[in-house]
Amino acid sequence: MARKKVMLGWIAHDATRRATFKKWKRSLLKKVSELATLCSIDACAVVYGPEEEAPEVWPSPAETTRVAARFRAMPESDQSRKKTDQEGFLRQRAAKLREQLSRQDRGNRELEASLLSRPRSSCGWRR
């Protein structure tokens, strides 16, 4: 059964917002757990709640510290290899779309040239 699309936006009612936060947090932590298990990778999650004094950490504070230390020990170039900001993402997307448009234009020109170079066939009727 398909779910209805969730409209993202500020939830005005406090109780509803807290309940939604708890559900999404539980779902997020479950997905991180599944990702770590299925892909056999080191993963961790730190979630700061609006009304919680300490963040919730998965799988454990010690393991999260180990994974974060391993990440920080990597060279800066490896840490930011796949990071991008909004501007960089939009530049990459625009470049891909320009390349796609270029390929489509080239294909259209080739098709048009092949259609124009074909001899006309008689259609069987005359005026």
Side-chain angles (χ1 to χ4, degrees):
M1 182 174 167
R3 291 176 149 194
K4 66 178 182 174
K5 184 172 180 171
V6 176
M7 295 303 294
L8 297 180
W10 175 255
I11 300 173
H13 193 261
D14 288 342
T16 305
R17 186 174 54 254
R18 282 192 299 272
T20 301
F21 171 74
K22 286 181 182 179
K23 288 178 192 175
W24 280 67
K25 180 176 70 171
R26 187 173 41 244
S27 175
L28 175 65
L29 296 177
K30 181 181 176 190
K31 288 190 185 320
V32 172
S33 169
E34 290 170 351
L35 178 66
T37 302
L38 292 172
C39 299
S40 186
I41 61 168
D42 287 335
C44 64
V46 179
V47 180
Y48 286 91
E51 296 176 6
E52 298 171 4
E53 292 197 17
E56 183 159 346
V57 180
W58 182 91
S60 68
E63 182 67 13
T64 301
T65 302
R66 186 189 67 75
V67 171
R70 183 174 164 208
F71 177 73
R72 283 191 218 109
M74 296 171 66
E76 184 71 29
S77 60
D78 289 346
Q79 287 183 21
S80 61
R81 184 176 56 204
K82 293 190 177 184
K83 285 184 187 177
T84 185
D85 58 359
Q86 185 71 16
E87 183 180 352
F89 171 77
L90 291 174
R91 284 182 199 270
Q92 289 173 351
R93 184 76 177 127
K96 282 182 185 178
L97 289 172
R98 277 193 294 273
E99 178 61 33
Q100 209 174 24
L101 180 62
S102 161
R103 276 187 265 131
Q104 189 66 46
D105 282 344
R106 194 174 326 121
N108 287 347
R109 282 193 304 272
E110 290 170 4
L111 182 60
E112 187 176 340
S114 70
L115 288 174
L116 290 175
S117 65
R118 274 201 282 176
R120 289 190 172 196
S121 61
S122 61
C123 57
W125 58 273
R126 294 184 181 175
R127 281 192 175 191

